[in-house]
Amino acid sequence: MISTPQLVASACLVLVLLWLRRRSLTHKLPPGPKPLPILGNALQMPTQRGWLTYAEWAKNHGDIVYVHIFGQPLVLLNTLEMANDLLVKRSLIYSDRARMVMAGELAGYAEEMVFSNYGDRLRDMRKLFHRELNSPGLDKYWPLHTDASRNFVRNLWDGSNQIEEHVINFGGSLILEAVYGYHAAPKNDEWIKLSQDVMKSFTSASEPGAWLVDFIPALRYIPKWFPGAGFRIVAEVWRDEHLRFVHDPYFWSKANQDRVTKPNFATTVFDEHAGNPPAKVEECLRWTLTSIWGGGADTTVSTIMSFFLAMGMFPDVQRRGQEEIDRVIGSNRLPEISDREDLPFIEAISREALRWNPVVPMAPPHKLTQDDEYLGYELPAGSLVLVNIWSILHDEKLFPDPFDFKPDRFIDNPVASKAVSAAFGFGRRICPGVQFAETSIFIAIATALATSNISNAVDETGNPMSAVDLKYSSGNISHPPPFRCGVKPRSITAACLLAASVADASEC
């Protein structure tokens, strides 16, 4: 039987060994800003546009930076090479997700694909996603992409100058139709509005370092009336919104299979199970559809808004894109998705819209599941690994003059073309909807340039926009600052072609 003195001695020995390991590890950790006792780097963590702060830290400490918040280690990666070395080549131990108390547990996003731990459930969702919304099955959705893009551009000519409203409706309506078979209202659709509200909440709830409860999980149990517990009240509102977001369109689609738009993702799976999938399949399907709807609508909106902003600021790029369309397509028809390989400059504009100001400037945190060593540094198990996508896509070695909108950087440049895929994440957590998103962005851009002139990008006070001074919104999903620009038909012929394609002869 072990005596009390032996137990005390053993406990002391364990504490000493842990202290010695920590001390030895500290000398091998990557460099970073000096932490405070107990708090670590909590007071140094940025609350707005963290990617800019992390890029500055990289200049001072190196491209791999280590910080910790209340003992929680964070590893910040600022180059494409590092992200590939760890998240791609060592994906087996870098593919888990962090525990996000605010977003995952309190606001209810834990079951979403982006927050799911790496395991069978996530693999099942990704498998279902890949089967339906990546080649070779993607081309069956081409007519939806094409029709949505033409309606979208035609609506831009209404003279209201509400570009963002139309872009939001385009992104939301396309996803809702492809995923649930739901045909959204032309304006003020309740589910598109719900998706915008939910994605704003998601962006706030999941911003790294924004919520103390993510680093001190016990705070989730403090009473709502307690000073400083307002985050719990906010989380309840977000949770209620999210539950509607998850369940309402799914059960509407299931109950209205006789009148949904086809093809759509939900119907494909319903038909495989005679309209009544087993509980496990239904749970996987519901959360997969939710992840597509939430992730696809808002990210597409940001990229296409960046395109319109860039065209209003860089007229020479717009002119060259229109010249390529005129040369390849002519003036007697509108672009199709099948024209994509023949329009390399339009494809380059699409890639530059993704790179210029990336939709997701910081990749959602990966979690390291075991101790690792990299470049002579020890990376402790449990570390949250954050990739600065903004920094990668503004690396002057890969993308000279990174603040300028230069599609030419992707012409005959496979290195740059491959590097821009960082916008969609890394390794086993890369966005599974890459092909669907790229198709949507391409056809919207091609249709807009074929039929419209975009001019005079100005801010809310009427001043011209500056590429260097642009301040995109903070959060996991970043949007351009408010702006206005003119969007008018290029010609009577273009107006007639577009009007005919949407069964509207008013322009002719």
Side-chain angles (χ1 to χ4, degrees), residues 3-24:
S3 65
T4 300
Q6 287 176 316
L7 284 173
V8 172
S10 298
C12 290
L13 178 61
V14 169
L15 289 174
V16 169
L17 290 174
L18 288 173
W19 178 80
L20 288 172
R21 181 181 183 276
R22 174 73 179 176
R23 192 167 184 269
S24 65

Side-chain angles (χ1 to χ4, degrees), residues 146 150 322 324-343 442-443 446-447 449-451 490-491 493-498 500-501:
T146 303
R150 293 175 181 178
Q322 290 172 333
E324 181 179 74
I325 289 174
D326 292 344
R327 184 175 66 254
V328 175
I329 305 296
S331 59
N332 295 320
R333 69 176 180 90
L334 298 174
E336 302 281 353
I337 295 172
S338 57
D339 295 316
R340 191 169 171 182
E341 291 186 2
D342 298 322
L343 296 171
F442 167 81
I443 193 60
T447 303
L449 290 178
T451 61
R490 285 183 68 193
S491 65
T493 301
C496 286
L497 282 172
L498 195 56
S501 73

Side-chain angles (χ1 to χ4, degrees), residues 138 141-142 144-146 148-150 152-153 167 169-175 178 296-297 299-301 303-304 307 337 340 346-347 350 354 424 433-448:
L138 186 59
Y141 291 104
W142 283 6
L144 284 181
H145 285 284
T146 303
S149 67
R150 293 175 181 178
F152 158 60
V153 176
V167 175
N169 201 67
F170 163 70
S173 61
L174 174 59
I175 288 289
T299 53
T300 301
V301 167
T303 302
I304 294 177
F307 158 75
I337 295 172
R340 191 169 171 182
I346 303 301
E347 179 72 9
S350 300
L354 285 166
F424 293 100
V434 172
Q435 293 184 35
F436 190 91
E438 289 181 335
T439 301
S440 175
I441 293 165
F442 167 81
I443 193 60
I445 288 175
T447 303

Side-chain angles (χ1 to χ4, degrees), residues 147-364:
D147 291 346
S149 67
R150 293 175 181 178
N151 275 295
F152 158 60
V153 176
R154 176 64 184 80
N155 290 334
L156 286 173
W157 297 345
D158 66 3
S160 68
N161 203 31
Q162 298 298 314
I163 295 176
E164 185 175 19
E165 179 182 322
H166 291 307
V167 175
I168 288 171
N169 201 67
F170 163 70
S173 61
L174 174 59
I175 288 289
L176 281 167
E177 201 151 11
V179 170
Y180 298 106
Y182 171 80
H183 189 73
K187 291 183 178 181
N188 303 318
D189 186 89
E190 62 171 319
W191 285 353
I192 291 179
K193 183 182 183 305
L194 175 62
S195 73
Q196 290 298 300
D197 291 341
V198 167
M199 293 314 297
K200 287 177 183 176
S201 302
F202 168 82
T203 298
S204 298
S206 59
E207 185 167 5
W211 303 96
L212 189 59
V213 70
D214 285 332
F215 300 99
I216 309 177
L219 292 177
R220 65 171 298 185
Y221 298 110
I222 65 175
K224 286 183 286 186
W225 50 262
F226 196 81
F231 69 91
R232 288 199 56 197
I233 298 172
V234 171
E236 283 190 0
V237 174
W238 290 349
R239 175 181 282 273
D240 290 342
E241 283 182 344
H242 187 243
L243 287 174
R244 288 178 52 213
F245 182 77
V246 174
H247 298 299
D248 287 5
Y250 178 83
F251 288 112
W252 176 91
S253 181
K254 188 174 182 180
N256 290 277
Q257 283 297 296
D258 57 334
R259 61 190 185 97
V260 296
T261 301
K262 298 178 182 178
N264 70 75
F265 195 144
T267 295
T268 299
V269 180
F270 288 147
D271 287 349
E272 292 174 355
H273 299 278
N276 191 28
K280 183 178 179 180
V281 173
E282 186 159 46
E283 193 264 352
C284 178
L285 175 63
R286 184 164 63 249
W287 284 101
T288 302
L289 299 182
T290 299
S291 299
I292 300 169
W293 179 24
D298 207 41
T299 53
T300 301
V301 167
S302 180
T303 302
I304 294 177
M305 287 296 291
S306 288
F307 158 75
F308 278 97
L309 177 57
M311 293 304 97
M313 295 172 64
F314 300 92
D316 287 347
V317 174
Q318 179 180 186
R319 176 183 52 77
R320 289 184 58 194
Q322 290 172 333
E323 288 174 352
E324 181 179 74
I325 289 174
D326 292 344
R327 184 175 66 254
V328 175
I329 305 296
S331 59
N332 295 320
R333 69 176 180 90
L334 298 174
E336 302 281 353
I337 295 172
S338 57
D339 295 316
R340 191 169 171 182
E341 291 186 2
D342 298 322
L343 296 171
F345 194 71
I346 303 301
E347 179 72 9
I349 291 176
S350 300
R351 293 180 185 274
E352 184 70 340
L354 285 166
R355 184 210 66 83
W356 189 43
N357 282 282
V359 177
V360 182
M362 295 294 301

Side-chain angles (χ1 to χ4, degrees), residues 17 30 32 36 49-51 54 56 66 77 89 114 123 143 147 158 194 206 215 276 302 323 380 431 444 483 506:
L17 290 174
L36 295 172
R49 302 178 186 86
W51 53 91
Y54 303 147
E56 286 299 314
Y66 176 89
L77 306 178
K89 296 177 182 178
V114 68
R123 283 189 285 267
D147 291 346
D158 66 3
L194 175 62
S206 59
F215 300 99
N276 191 28
S302 180
E323 288 174 352
C431 172
F483 71 93
S506 62

